[in-house]
Amino acid sequence: MFDSVGWVTESGLTYLDHAASTPMRAEAVEAMMPYLSELYANPSGSHRFARRARRAVDEARDTVARVVGCHPNEVVFTGCGTESDNMAVTGAIARRGGVAVCPAVEHHAVLHVVEQLGDRGRIVGVDRYGRVDLDELATVLDATPDVSIVSVMAVNNEVGTITDLAEVARVVRRHAPDALLHTDAVQSACWVDLRDITPLVDLLSLSAHKFGGPKGVGVLVERGGPQVEPLIVGGGQERERRSGTHNTAGIVAAAVALDLTDRDRAEENERLTVLRDRLVAGLGDRLDGVTETVPAAHKVAGSAHVCVAGIESEALLFLLDEADVCASAASACASGAMEPSHVLAAMGVDRSSALGALRLTLGHTTTAADVERAIDVIGASVDRLRRQTTAAVARTTADAVRSTS
Ligand code: PLP
């Protein structure tokens, strides 16, 4: 069960943390190998060897453009989803000045950038499912004449809520016709046909490790050509949009993974909806006090976010980890903190429920056996934590009685 470096191999793990990172598709691993070994030339070079690498990057760009529904010239390869998000918001303000607006549940890759703008950033509230409050958005846009960018995520990384981007676009185009609309679609590629959302926005971010590609490859789609200032300047790669030597192997693998994700999406949505529903129902049957944070109709098939009453998620995650079940509480980047996540706080989830949050996310390697094992392990772990709490309360009460008698 343990491999050469001492980790439990994939077959021994119950991996329900796909929103943090997906296992790479075997085809993507295979596609990147030659560019890590014999085809190592820098794609910006002028010799034939370099031109071969450049051709691979260009073909990958064509594939990404086809799946996303844009022109290849609108695709900018970046180093990660965070960089794409930063480039969209920071680059818009650098080019156009003015104000950036986003909802309170954005990933920190957007939220922190808007917050750091101080009085040139506006944060908009959300409803109990984490959807941006469209009336408040309209009010903020009406009251702020110089909005240069509005950024609204397509799918929330923590609770899986799907944004109705057509509605968001309608409000933004009406109330801030000069503003750019950016969507962080990092959590969308597995679940949503990107061709449906790209035409609604000016800028769209992706990250390859969320759809079976490697870490360290992001995409920023800039519709209609350059819309924002580059974040990274230097050698002028990516038509001066993003300098830095291309990660040829990663880009090639990202395109292969995206293409397969697009091919399998409809089937995977159906398959994983069944597994996700079974997981949530199974936990509800096995345990008292399990609340599904967002109803299935409003979220992607891979997301099973629940709040478990009477436990703290950090303690539960520790027991799950011991049993080789990979899950998370808040988003991976935020876990480790005992504060309830900013997403749940913005949705109005009360603090004690939020402290028992459990994010289980499914993906292309998830099986029915994973789901059944997760139900068993989570059930037993929560029982154990609740027994410990009951015993601790009994001990404290007994101590108090002794000390007063
Ligand atoms: N945006 C969302 C919605 C995410 O879920 C993540 C990663 O968790 C990011 C951005 C950041 O992407 P990356 O890990 O590629 O920097």
Side-chain angles (χ1 to χ4, degrees):
M1 196 189 281
F2 286 85
D3 68 13
S4 57
V5 287
W7 291 101
V8 182
T9 54
E10 203 186 313
S11 58
L13 276 183
T14 301
Y15 185 77
L16 292 174
D17 206 13
H18 284 253
S21 200
T22 49
M24 275 187 73
R25 297 259 192 176
E27 297 90 334
V29 174
E30 200 184 320
M32 77 192 294
M33 283 313 188
Y35 298 94
L36 294 172
S37 50
E38 68 266 28
L39 295 174
Y40 51 79
N42 187 327
S44 300
S46 56
H47 42 75
R48 264 184 299 162
F49 190 30
R51 288 206 298 276
R52 187 153 167 204
R54 187 151 67 245
R55 202 160 53 239
V57 172
D58 287 342
E59 282 168 12
R61 190 186 311 284
D62 290 346
T63 303
V64 170
R66 175 168 50 74
V67 174
V68 169
C70 68
H71 191 277
N73 283 343
E74 296 173 324
V75 172
V76 179
F77 288 116
T78 67
C80 57
T82 300
E83 185 191 323
S84 301
D85 286 347
N86 273 238
M87 179 171 164
V89 180
T90 305
I93 299 296
R95 173 170 285 207
R96 305 153 63 108
V99 170
V101 179
C102 77
V105 294
E106 289 295 302
H107 188 277
H108 286 137
V110 168
L111 188 63
H112 282 340
V113 180
V114 174
E115 285 170 349
Q116 280 173 9
L117 288 168
D119 60 6
R120 290 192 297 136
R122 302 277 187 284
I123 312 291
V124 177
V126 297
D127 69 9
R128 66 199 162 113
Y129 299 153
R131 296 172 299 193
V132 61
D133 180 331
L134 293 174
D135 291 336
E136 190 182 327
L137 178 61
T139 305
V140 167
L141 297 181
D142 287 343
T144 319
D146 56 346
V147 173
S148 52
I149 183 162
V150 180
S151 185
V152 180
M153 69 201 319
V155 171
N156 184 272
N157 49 299
E158 228 173 285
V159 291
T161 300
I162 302 170
T163 297
D164 184 342
L165 274 177
E167 281 289 286
V168 171
R170 194 179 53 72
V171 170
V172 173
R173 301 309 182 202
R174 178 144 178 228
H175 295 267
D178 296 330
L180 296 172
L181 176 56
H182 166 248
T183 192
D184 174 344
V186 164
Q187 292 289 344
S188 307
C190 294
W191 320 110
V192 178
D193 190 336
L194 300 169
R195 298 170 194 88
D196 292 338
I197 58 177
T198 302
L200 301 169
V201 299
D202 304 295
L203 299 152
L204 178 145
S205 302
L206 295 174
S207 174
H209 75 104
K210 307 293 188 179
F211 52 76
K215 290 157 191 68
V217 183
V219 170
L220 181 67
V221 174
E222 290 188 275
R223 289 191 60 242
Q227 300 284 358
V228 298
E229 285 301 299
L231 197 62
I232 298 180
V233 293
Q237 288 88 346
E238 290 295 277
R239 304 169 312 287
E240 306 281 346
R241 312 300 306 135
R242 198 277 187 183
S243 290
T245 300
H246 287 99
N247 172 3
T248 316
I251 289 170
V252 166
V256 168
L258 188 61
D259 203 18
L260 293 171
T261 299
D262 186 47
R263 182 196 69 186
D264 297 346
R265 191 183 294 113
E267 218 172 283
E268 282 293 86
N269 263 318
E270 255 180 59
R271 186 181 77 86
L272 291 168
T273 297
V274 173
L275 292 187
R276 188 271 319 276
D277 290 350
R278 163 67 195 144
L279 177 57
V280 174
L283 290 174
D285 291 344
R286 172 72 179 71
L287 293 165
D288 292 333
V290 173
T291 314
E292 191 175 22
T293 315
V294 172
H298 298 287
K299 66 186 178 188
V300 294
S303 173
H305 191 285
V306 293
C307 293
V308 186
I311 57 122
E312 283 199 348
S313 24
E314 293 301 312
L316 178 57
L317 289 180
F318 178 80
L319 294 184
L320 298 187
D321 189 29
E322 297 239 292
D324 297 329
V325 173
C326 301
S328 72
S331 62
C333 324
S335 71
M338 282 303 287
E339 278 304 298
S341 84
H342 71 284
V343 173
L344 298 183
M347 289 164 61
V349 175
D350 67 88
R351 189 183 156 86
S352 69
S353 303
L355 287 176
L358 181 63
R359 184 183 77 165
L360 303 160
T361 49
L362 295 69
H364 69 100
T365 56
T366 308
T367 63
D370 288 332
V371 167
E372 296 310 320
R373 179 157 190 272
I375 295 168
D376 285 348
V377 172
I378 294 167
S381 304
V382 171
D383 284 347
R384 189 171 147 191
L385 290 172
R386 285 178 174 164
R387 270 198 309 273
Q388 284 170 359
T389 310
T390 311
V393 169
R395 263 197 313 277
T396 313
T397 313
D399 287 350
V401 169
R402 253 197 312 277
S403 68
T404 52
S405 59

